[in-house]
Amino acid sequence: MDTRLLLLVEDDAAFARTLARSFERRGYQVLTAASAEEVKLLLQEHRPGYAVMDLKLAGNASGLNCIQMLHEHNPEALIVVLTGYASIATAVEAVKLGACHYLAKPSNTDDIEAAFGRIAGDTEVELTQQTSSIKTLEWEHIHETLADSDFNISEAARRLGMHRRTLARKLEKRQVK
């Protein structure tokens, strides 16, 4: 295993190029993929020690599959999930599947590299006294349903009992770039 080999799974080509260049300047060799199929092909020839995975890939594909695939290929790889669709449900699933950390976009190379160094839990994290708002609970439920339906908006809307366009509008409002 090449410990400085990083697999970057991101379907936004411009963001992937920027992030890859930033990691290369820090001494990493970077492999990029935009889909689960590309990840599968890269893993046939490479054994990355680090990975940055986007949660939602092109065509509403789930990055959770890529996390599982990489973790099965190399259980010691440090995997950080980077997503504009952060939720408790997907964070829990990502960690269960082998991710060591979960970051919401926007995050930079410093944040990601720091996350690679924080693989152990932190018992000193401050506990919040606030309860979740109705809007936060709604977003969590929507996102959990989206994840359960492999990010298929039509299927998630059906399961949520709302029109597909209503769900699409809610997602557009909440999307983080």
Side-chain angles (χ1 to χ4, degrees), residues 70-118:
L70 178 59
H71 186 69
E72 288 172 355
H73 181 73
N74 179 9
E76 295 175 12
L78 299 177
I79 305 167
V80 172
V81 174
L82 186 61
T83 183
Y85 298 89
S87 76
I88 293 170
T90 54
V92 168
E93 293 307 315
V95 170
K96 283 182 183 177
L97 292 169
C100 70
H101 224 288
Y102 185 96
L103 299 173
K105 288 180 182 175
S107 292
N108 59 32
T109 310
D110 290 333
D111 299 331
I112 297 166
E113 201 165 40
F116 287 140
R118 293 191 314 263

Side-chain angles (χ1 to χ4, degrees), residues 87-155:
S87 76
I88 293 170
T90 54
V92 168
E93 293 307 315
V95 170
K96 283 182 183 177
L97 292 169
C100 70
H101 224 288
Y102 185 96
L103 299 173
K105 288 180 182 175
S107 292
N108 59 32
T109 310
D110 290 333
D111 299 331
I112 297 166
E113 201 165 40
F116 287 140
R118 293 191 314 263
I119 57 174
D122 182 2
T123 60
E124 302 302 316
V125 169
E126 187 176 330
L127 301 176
T128 180
Q129 298 299 317
Q130 283 185 319
T131 58
S132 296
S133 70
I134 295 294
K135 288 187 180 217
T136 300
L137 292 172
E138 176 189 40
W139 174 247
E140 292 292 333
H141 182 61
I142 287 171
H143 205 277
E144 185 175 352
T145 304
L146 267 172
D148 288 345
S149 62
D150 292 326
F151 294 95
N152 180 316
I153 292 176
S154 296
E155 176 61 18

Side-chain angles (χ1 to χ4, degrees), residues 32-50:
T32 58
S35 68
E37 293 79 25
E38 289 179 33
V39 170
K40 190 179 291 187
L41 289 173
L42 286 170
L43 291 180
Q44 290 175 0
E45 296 182 27
H46 303 280
R47 189 173 164 92
Y50 298 89

Side-chain angles (χ1 to χ4, degrees), residues 23-40:
F23 273 106
E24 287 168 349
R25 283 193 297 271
R26 292 170 186 243
Y28 290 85
Q29 179 186 353
V30 180
L31 303 170
T32 58
S35 68
E37 293 79 25
E38 289 179 33
V39 170
K40 190 179 291 187

